[in-house]
Structure formats: C-alpha cells, structure tokens
Amino acid sequence: MTIRSFIERFSASKPRAASDDGAQQQLPGEARVPKTRRRLFTKYVALFVAVVCVALLSNGIFDVFFYYQEHKTSLIRIQREQAEAAAAKIGQFVKEIESQLGWTTQLPWSAGSIEQRRFDALRLLRQVPAIT
C-alpha cells in the first residue's frame, strides 16, 4: 500500500459537505495541490530563515571575537606604557638618591673626621627623608 492510495482511501471515507450553490465538488487530488504547495513554501521559508539566522549568528560571533582581541591588545599596550612610565620614575628616584649620597662618600678617609662624617650623615637624613 502506497501513501497516495492511503490518502485517497482516507479522503474518500470522509463525508463531504454539501455545497449550497450546487457547485461540483473537488476531487481529492485537486484539494491536495494547494496544501502541498503551502507545505513546500513553508519549508523554503523555514530554510531561508535558518540560513539567514546562521549567517547573522556567525557574523555576530566573529564580531565579538575580533572585538575581544582588539580590546585585549589595547589593554596590553596601555599596561606596557604604564609600566615603562613607572620604571622611568623609579629610575629617576634612584638616581636622585645616588647623587644625594654621592657627596658624603667623596670625602677622604681620615682618622680625625669620624665625627664630621656622622654629622654629614645626620644632615643628609634631615635633608632627604626618602633615604630613611
């Protein structure tokens, strides 16, 4: 038994409504054509909608991925610049301390100048609190 013969038997066993104007009733094959076309149209519309949705979804995923990569790159660049600026400030601070300590070490070593060196070191600590 094929599907077509089953449909013909099924539609033949249904009671048909009498038409008011006395028009001739349609055969079962004639009634199926618009329904089949409607189903085919629905399938094509569903396929088209699915293809459009997949295209839009993939485009959105690529946009998010590329935005993430660009944002990550810019954050790395900003952090690198901030680290270089901090390193420059630290280097400048250390050079200032070295220059401030340099004048105390340039004095010649002599046995009688221990008190003078202590006085110079205390004066340095008062002038530059960052050394402590």
Side-chain angles (χ1 to χ4, degrees):
M1 175 186 270
T2 64
I3 296 175
R4 181 173 289 194
S5 63
F6 175 75
I7 292 173
E8 287 175 0
R9 282 187 189 175
F10 182 72
S11 61
S13 66
K14 283 187 180 179
R16 296 188 184 179
S19 60
D20 293 337
D21 59 355
Q24 196 177 30
Q25 293 181 353
Q26 291 182 342
L27 296 175
E30 293 175 354
R32 268 188 291 146
V33 172
K35 192 173 185 181
T36 305
R37 286 185 182 168
R38 211 173 306 133
R39 285 183 187 168
L40 186 61
F41 177 74
T42 306
K43 288 179 183 178
Y44 279 123
V45 167
L47 179 67
F48 179 74
V49 167
V51 167
V52 168
C53 287
V54 166
L56 289 175
L57 186 65
S58 63
N59 187 26
I61 289 172
F62 283 127
D63 283 345
V64 167
F65 177 72
F66 288 126
Y67 175 75
Y68 171 75
Q69 292 294 332
E70 181 180 320
H71 188 67
K72 184 176 158 184
T73 305
S74 66
L75 282 177
I76 290 171
R77 181 181 46 84
I78 289 170
Q79 288 177 352
R80 182 176 293 132
E81 289 173 359
Q82 288 176 347
E84 289 173 357
K89 285 182 181 179
I90 291 171
Q92 182 182 5
F93 180 73
V94 168
K95 284 185 180 181
E96 286 177 8
I97 291 176
E98 286 176 353
S99 67
Q100 291 168 353
L101 285 174
W103 65 271
T104 60
T105 59
Q106 291 177 358
L107 296 175
W109 286 95
S110 63
S113 67
I114 298 271
E115 289 299 322
Q116 181 64 32
R117 286 195 178 271
R118 182 177 289 201
F119 178 70
D120 289 341
L122 288 173
R123 190 172 53 160
L124 176 66
L125 289 175
R126 286 184 188 149
Q127 287 179 356
V128 187
I131 296 175
T132 59

